[in-house]
Amino acid sequence: MENKKIPYKIYLDENEIPEYWYNLRAFMKNKPAPLLNPQTQEPATLEELSNVFCEELAKQELDDTTKYIKIPDQIRDFYKMYRPAPLVRAYCLEKALGTPAKIYYKFEGNNTSGSHKLNSAIAQAYYAKEQGLKGVTTETGAGQWGTALSMACSYFGLDCNVYMVKCSYEQKPHRREVMRVYGANVTPSPSNTTKVGREILEKFPGTNGSLGCAISEAVEVATNTEGYRYALGSVLNQVLLHQSIIGLETKAALDKYGITPDIIIGCAGGGSNLGGLIAPFMGDKIEGKNNCQFIAVEPSSCPTLTRGKYAYDYCDTGKVCPLAKMYTLGSGFMPAPSHAGGLRYHGMTTTLSQLYADGLMEARSVEQTSVFEAAEYFARVEGTLPAPESSHAIKVAIDEAKRCIETGEEKTILFGLTGTGYFDMISYEKFHDGIMSDYIPTDDEINASLANLPKIK
Ligand SMILES: *Cc1c(COP(=O)(O)O)cnc(C)c1O
């Protein structure tokens, strides 16, 4: 094993795509706190969740005991169209940095939607189809999730109604058109098509919109329209479960060469790619089988883990979704509009929140311009144009590899390269033109937003 030369790309055979998702919560000693009904503050029931989500997905949402959940054949067949995703040994990056560290990344940008989000989109569309629904509603921020869900819905012949955060709708017309290629209806949010949208527009005319607000609109339409349910691209337990395919494939590839990473790094918006990447490694750590270090990387402009509070909060601005106990900046938190790309969500998935609270995972926040410097450096040495979100992980992976130069340690560093940057050239343009700013919210701004956390009985 030791002498076997590691290839630039470790590919798996399509038959090696995992047959089961990995339910990390079932391995955790301290389970994430339950979702609560926002009216009664009692734990959300299967029945309540089934009004919002497909029934099978509602079951997955509540399941914190089944360790492995079978991936239906039709989903696995779809996965075969773009998976297994390559695990790349970043030889060129190692050489350019002059580091003794060994760096690997799992690239999830090799599909038309351009990111890992398709892994959960296809699962959510499948269960909607199985239940005999007509379609789904959703929100999208930067556009990746809306694109992924549009692709998944068109594959299964379902309607897809996307509420797209207004500033992205205007700034990313190409994202919108890709969704329309796949037959989706795209509405800028806030809109006057929903009650919550009209209320927000009245209170904040001229608002750029936010994810929390678009979620409220999509949920309102799903729960009031016969044959529709709501789909969400991150944050939820079900999404982390589906994204475990990332970590399982990575582990299967590394196991072929007897490699266990010392450090695993991922960007964290709602936490789904990171939760999926670390799942089997974290499960092993909890069982004492490895001693990996896990690092979540978030933008300084939306510092949920590093500066937020661990408390029950609303998942959306309109307060229609269940309450979740998570690290949060408050559901009314609006990141600066100058902030590029995703990773703008005010909260963090309950699983990662609990792992962070228990000291099993670390978090770092990084500034936008340093992220783009890392992105460009990476593109020049490794060839692949990274998404700005993914580049948060690149930045910290490079920092860690540089630290190894000082200490002489030959650490194995793994990070998630969640997507391609092709749809983010406006952000790259701002970076090149020197007009990108690093807005960091003040303590007063964060405290003002946290003052509106719900009071829990
Ligand atoms: C959506 C997205 C993210 C962040 O979402 P998570 O749920 O935190 O994974 C990261 N990278 C890309 C490319 C994305 O599209």
Side-chain angles (χ1 to χ4, degrees), residues 115-117 144 233-234 267-274 343 387 389-390 418-419:
S115 81
H116 65 286
K117 293 204 172 64
Q144 290 96 328
S234 181
C267 61
S272 75
N273 85 80
L274 179 59
L343 312 183
E389 294 90 341
S390 326
T418 51

Side-chain angles (χ1 to χ4, degrees), residues 4 257 278 356 380 384 404 432:
K4 203 149 133 194
Y257 294 89
I278 69 174
Y356 182 59
R380 290 180 187 181
T384 299
C404 289
H432 293 145

Side-chain angles (χ1 to χ4, degrees), residues 10-12 16-18 82-90 103-110 116 119 243-254 264-265 273 276-277 281 378 384 390 393 413-419:
I10 307 180
Y11 280 108
L12 296 176
E16 293 173 290
I17 292 178
Y82 70 101
R83 309 197 68 84
L87 179 71
V88 183
R89 172 74 185 266
I103 308 174
Y104 294 84
Y105 59 91
K106 180 76 166 167
F107 184 46
E108 290 287 329
N110 264 336
H116 65 286
N119 301 333
Q243 295 298 355
S244 68
I245 187 101
I246 304 173
L248 289 165
E249 279 184 11
T250 303
K251 189 159 187 306
L254 290 176
I264 305 182
I265 301 165
N273 85 80
L277 174 66
F281 300 99
F378 180 83
T384 299
S390 326
I413 300 170
L414 164 69
F415 69 92
L417 189 68
T418 51

Side-chain angles (χ1 to χ4, degrees), residues 140-433:
T140 197
Q144 290 96 328
W145 168 245
T147 310
L149 193 65
S150 305
M151 288 174 70
C153 284
S154 92
Y155 184 72
F156 285 121
L158 292 163
D159 276 356
C160 183
N161 292 324
V162 182
Y163 285 87
M164 186 168 185
V165 178
K166 195 164 145 202
C167 61
S168 301
Y169 183 91
E170 286 161 2
Q171 281 171 12
K172 300 194 164 182
H174 297 131
R175 277 278 173 194
R176 187 180 73 213
E177 287 320 307
V178 181
M179 289 184 248
R180 290 172 66 188
V181 166
Y182 291 95
N185 298 310
V186 189
T187 309
S189 167
S191 76
N192 55 21
T193 66
T194 63
K195 186 165 154 282
V196 58
R198 287 188 294 271
E199 279 169 14
I200 290 170
L201 281 173
E202 201 164 290
K203 249 183 159 170
F204 310 99
T207 171
N208 284 307
S210 70
L211 262 188
C213 164
I215 294 174
S216 303
E217 290 205 272
V219 172
E220 183 185 318
V221 174
T223 49
N224 292 320
T225 318
E226 182 67 30
Y228 283 77
R229 291 293 186 281
Y230 168 65
L232 181 62
S234 181
V235 188
L236 296 171
N237 298 319
Q238 54 187 276
V239 183
L240 261 76
L241 176 72
H242 307 148
Q243 295 298 355
S244 68
I245 187 101
I246 304 173
L248 289 165
E249 279 184 11
T250 303
K251 189 159 187 306
L254 290 176
D255 282 350
K256 289 194 172 184
Y257 294 89
I259 301 162
T260 305
D262 297 301
I263 311 178
I264 305 182
I265 301 165
C267 61
S272 75
N273 85 80
L274 179 59
L277 174 66
I278 69 174
F281 300 99
M282 181 61 86
D284 277 2
K285 177 166 171 135
I286 291 168
E287 293 184 337
K289 295 180 190 157
N290 72 33
N291 193 23
C292 286
Q293 179 188 2
F294 301 92
I295 308 175
V297 191
E298 56 187 18
S300 308
S301 58
C302 192
T304 313
L305 288 169
T306 49
R307 293 174 68 200
K309 192 169 166 186
Y310 193 30
Y312 269 104
D313 195 9
Y314 299 102
C315 292
D316 60 322
T317 319
K319 307 179 179 176
V320 293
C321 295
L323 296 167
K325 188 175 178 197
M326 57 187 177
Y327 278 86
T328 178
L329 295 166
S331 62
F333 183 80
M334 294 262 179
S338 62
H339 170 64
L343 312 183
R344 302 169 144 254
Y345 189 64
H346 68 273
M348 186 59 60
T349 186
T350 58
T351 296
L352 293 188
S353 290
Q354 185 64 46
L355 292 169
Y356 182 59
D358 288 341
L360 285 161
M361 187 184 82
E362 300 164 32
R364 294 198 196 151
S365 70
V366 289
E367 291 175 22
Q368 185 160 251
T369 46
S370 71
V371 167
F372 276 81
E373 277 162 19
E376 194 160 271
Y377 182 79
F378 180 83
R380 290 180 187 181
V381 298
E382 279 288 318
T384 299
L385 178 72
E389 294 90 341
S390 326
S391 306
H392 289 70
I394 297 176
K395 159 76 179 134
V396 170
I398 291 177
D399 288 349
E400 288 298 319
K402 283 184 178 163
R403 196 195 303 262
C404 289
I405 302 174
E406 286 160 32
T407 63
E409 288 172 291
E410 295 180 18
K411 286 191 177 171
T412 297
I413 300 170
L414 164 69
F415 69 92
L417 189 68
T418 51
T420 168
Y422 276 124
F423 286 100
D424 299 286
M425 296 326 290
I426 291 174
S427 302
Y428 276 97
E429 183 182 20
K430 283 192 184 138
F431 171 66
H432 293 145
D433 292 348

